[in-house]
Amino acid sequence: MKKLGYIIMPFVIAFCFAIGLYKYLEKADAQMLATKDVRGIFSDTVSLVKDKGIYANDYWAKQGDILMMGSSELSHSTIQHPVYFFNTQRSKNMVVPIGRAYTQSLQDASLVGSLDNSIKDKKVVLLISMQWFMEKNGVTPHHFQTRFSPVLFYGFLDNPKISRENKLEYVERVKYLLSKKPGEFKPELLYANYYTKNSTGDKVVKILLKPYFKARKFAVELKDLGITYRKLKEANNLSEPLKKEKEVNWSYERKLADKMARDRVGKNPYLIDKGYYRRYLKGKEKVFENRYGYVNLLKSKEFDDLGLFLDVCKDLDVEPVVVVIPAKGQFYTKTGITKDERFSYYNKVEQLVENKGFKYIDLRNKEDEKYYLRDIMHLGTKGWVDVCEKLYKEFDQ
Amino acid sequence: MFVKNFIKNLISNKLLLASIVMTICLVLAIVTFAFAPFKELPFVYREF
């Protein structure tokens, strides 16, 4: 009996330590989120706190900050970026850019679906790129796994406001995308596999595995708190809370964007950044000729994922503003994705969004506008000014 | 003196020693897990 005590005791102590650490981190993170200057985290384009966490995003959503979900366009390639307009004390709320290249609709659905339901009037923006729809099967398993977050996964499936139907659709997609080399996400693949099964035997296994998944969920939440803690520790203290001090002068910003673009672009047939043109396009006309002729934008699985994102928003009374970023028409026509095909894609996204009753910002007429894009797919100086101005007005900043 | 006695007792009681080592290992594992991110797969930028 005494021997058994020596074996059990370390586990009891470790259990108590883990609970204590969780409570401590929860309290410390909340305190630091209120007193630290988090703009550095907002500007970080590869932040685990924003892209894969719940705790800090909940805090910012509660404060009324705008959660802007997108992909590679959120990298800081031009001064004109949402953080420049919204996080410089010129708006009522700040912007939290979430996502990086290959963060697509399904990952965004996980994030929205795992936010705290008690937060009212969440401000959500989804920036959609046409490149998401170029793959027939939508996001690839490899890219999805690089963006996958277990804490969001469990948060989504535990959310009582999301319908069973949407959860099953989500689980089926995650199951498929994690099935090849799940690596550290084997527990989530196992959870997804059993989530949809309902035979008596499977129910018994589910009951037996319940404590394990409870522990796993606790562990990934602890990790979210721990990573947030580390990031917040590095941030500077704020002497006083940040408040709006002045307005954005949009006319000045437009002129500045135009001037900066002229320097960046120089002379090239696409009117995009000269560095990008030289590196990827110059002298490669033949390489790109009809290169994407096989692509059928309208049949991509990404539409199902986008539909799921919108359905989840509907379940949770979140009203996202969807911005469809235009593609460089002049380039994509040459690659075999014609204007008709692109406009059919814009129409399909628009219908999908509007049928759910959400707002849609249509930018298709900007496809070939001078300096709107900095390359063939990312917003440039003028593009960001335009999009941010529209959002600034939309959210009454 | 106290430390010396404690260590002496600890060495003589192998079970207690094993129990303490195990506790330290578990606590360190929890701390490492809490603060280290899941391994991120290499980020590959696809131009098109």
Side-chain angles (χ1 to χ4, degrees):
Chain A
M1 194 62 193
K2 204 176 167 187
K3 269 188 191 173
L4 198 65
Y6 282 119
I7 296 169
I8 291 172
M9 211 49 195
F11 291 98
V12 174
I13 294 170
F15 178 76
C16 295
F17 174 78
I19 303 273
L21 182 64
Y22 187 100
K23 294 279 170 205
Y24 167 75
L25 290 175
E26 217 175 16
K27 208 175 155 189
D29 284 356
Q31 200 181 3
M32 285 196 285
L33 279 165
T35 56
K36 295 266 188 175
D37 186 353
V38 292
R39 286 177 296 178
I41 299 177
F42 290 169
S43 296
D44 185 359
T45 52
V46 287
S47 166
L48 294 175
V49 174
K50 296 181 294 165
D51 297 358
K52 296 192 174 191
I54 295 180
Y55 191 79
N57 286 332
D58 267 343
Y59 181 88
W60 294 319
K62 205 173 193 170
Q63 279 202 142
D65 292 335
I66 303 161
L67 306 182
M68 184 182 277
M69 299 171 192
S71 48
S72 52
E73 66 283 345
L74 292 173
S75 66
H76 291 266
S77 301
T78 54
I79 291 173
Q80 290 77 5
H81 185 277
V83 297
Y84 167 71
F85 297 109
F86 288 90
N87 297 353
T88 44
Q89 292 168 274
R90 295 187 287 173
S91 56
K92 284 185 209 159
N93 304 106
M94 293 216 264
V95 74
V96 189
I98 300 170
R100 49 184 116 160
Y102 304 110
T103 306
Q104 296 180 203
S105 314
L106 191 65
Q107 174 67 7
D108 295 328
S110 312
L111 203 134
V112 169
S114 57
L115 291 172
D116 185 352
N117 289 333
S118 69
I119 303 165
K120 301 287 171 219
D121 302 324
K122 294 180 190 108
K123 298 182 181 77
V124 172
V125 174
L126 178 67
L127 304 171
I128 294 181
S129 301
M130 188 186 83
Q131 293 70 30
W132 298 2
F133 299 81
M134 286 171 64
E135 291 279 345
K136 192 181 164 201
N137 294 319
V139 65
T140 64
H142 169 73
H143 292 133
F144 180 74
Q145 285 177 29
T146 60
R147 306 287 170 259
F148 181 72
S149 160
V151 75
L152 299 184
F153 171 78
Y154 293 115
F156 183 99
L157 293 177
D158 284 350
N159 191 329
K161 279 187 86 177
I162 299 175
S163 68
R164 174 93 182 142
E165 192 191 354
N166 287 336
K167 283 182 184 173
L168 288 176
E169 191 182 338
Y170 173 75
V171 158
E172 287 297 343
R173 271 302 268 158
V174 172
K175 210 158 71 175
Y176 163 73
L177 292 165
L178 286 186
S179 58
K180 283 178 194 160
K181 296 184 187 167
E184 283 182 285
F185 307 130
K186 274 183 196 139
E188 285 66 46
L189 177 60
L190 184 68
Y191 191 88
N193 275 326
Y194 276 101
Y195 195 86
T196 48
K197 291 178 181 172
N198 274 317
S199 71
T200 316
D202 293 325
K203 278 180 183 166
V204 172
V205 177
K206 271 193 213 179
I207 291 167
L208 291 173
L209 288 174
K210 208 171 177 178
Y212 168 72
F213 284 115
K214 267 205 149 167
R216 173 76 177 172
K217 194 186 168 216
F218 172 84
V220 294
E221 282 176 4
L222 182 67
K223 192 185 274 299
D224 179 23
L225 289 169
I227 289 167
T228 306
Y229 180 87
R230 272 179 61 183
K231 270 284 156 202
L232 290 170
K233 267 275 169 200
E234 293 166 10
N236 294 326
N237 284 318
L238 273 177
S239 50
E240 56 185 64
L242 295 168
K243 281 182 207 150
K244 183 179 177 182
E245 287 178 357
K246 49 195 172 202
E247 298 282 329
V248 180
N249 181 343
W250 293 107
S251 139
Y252 166 78
E253 296 298 345
R254 273 192 292 273
K255 278 181 200 152
L256 180 68
D258 199 72
K259 184 182 175 296
M260 291 178 110
R262 260 181 276 136
D263 295 339
R264 294 172 68 103
V265 169
K267 283 179 187 169
N268 68 69
Y270 294 104
L271 291 173
I272 56 173
D273 283 2
K274 51 191 167 195
Y276 187 93
Y277 174 74
R278 271 201 298 265
R279 187 166 177 192
Y280 298 111
L281 305 181
K282 195 178 178 185
K284 295 180 183 169
E285 285 78 10
K286 284 243 162 80
V287 176
F288 291 110
E289 205 177 295
N290 208 31
R291 182 171 173 162
Y292 302 126
Y294 67 92
V295 169
N296 187 339
L297 294 171
L298 303 182
K299 293 212 168 143
S300 174
K301 186 86 186 146
E302 190 64 27
F303 271 108
D304 295 339
D305 293 343
L306 177 61
L308 177 66
F309 170 86
L310 298 170
D311 286 338
V312 169
C313 287
K314 198 94 190 153
D315 282 351
L316 303 174
D317 302 320
V318 173
E319 292 184 8
V321 176
V322 177
V323 182
V324 182
I325 295 170
K328 192 81 191 170
Q330 194 188 347
F331 171 79
Y332 278 104
T333 300
K334 282 183 185 168
T335 68
I337 303 178
T338 62
K339 187 174 181 180
D340 282 348
E341 285 172 311
R342 294 194 307 275
F343 275 52
S344 301
Y345 146 78
Y346 294 132
N347 284 338
K348 192 171 174 178
V349 177
E350 184 178 13
Q351 274 170 16
L352 197 62
V353 176
E354 289 188 343
N355 284 347
K356 306 282 178 197
F358 299 138
K359 281 173 189 154
Y360 171 89
I361 294 183
D362 187 359
L363 301 173
R364 75 186 77 183
N365 60 348
K366 309 283 185 187
E367 273 198 336
D368 287 310
E369 190 176 303
K370 204 174 173 185
Y371 308 146
Y372 204 84
L373 299 173
R374 69 178 158 86
D375 54 37
I376 54 158
M377 58 186 150
H378 298 117
L379 289 172
T381 54
K382 280 184 86 176
W384 271 127
V385 175
D386 185 47
V387 168
C388 289
E389 186 179 3
K390 286 184 165 78
L391 293 172
Y392 196 88
K393 286 175 184 158
E394 181 63 45
F395 290 108
D396 192 23
Q397 293 296 306
Chain B
M1 199 63 186
F2 171 78
V3 175
K4 225 175 180 183
N5 278 340
F6 177 75
I7 290 169
K8 206 175 157 189
N9 287 338
L10 199 64
I11 290 166
S12 62
N13 188 345
K14 298 280 182 211
L15 280 173
L16 181 63
L17 185 65
S19 192
I20 288 172
V21 170
M22 209 164 148
T23 306
I24 293 168
C25 289
L26 284 172
V27 166
L28 285 176
I30 290 168
V31 171
T32 309
F33 183 86
F35 293 102
F38 279 112
K39 186 177 69 190
E40 289 213 282
L41 297 171
F43 171 73
V44 184
Y45 186 82
R46 186 182 64 162
E47 303 107 60
F48 301 104

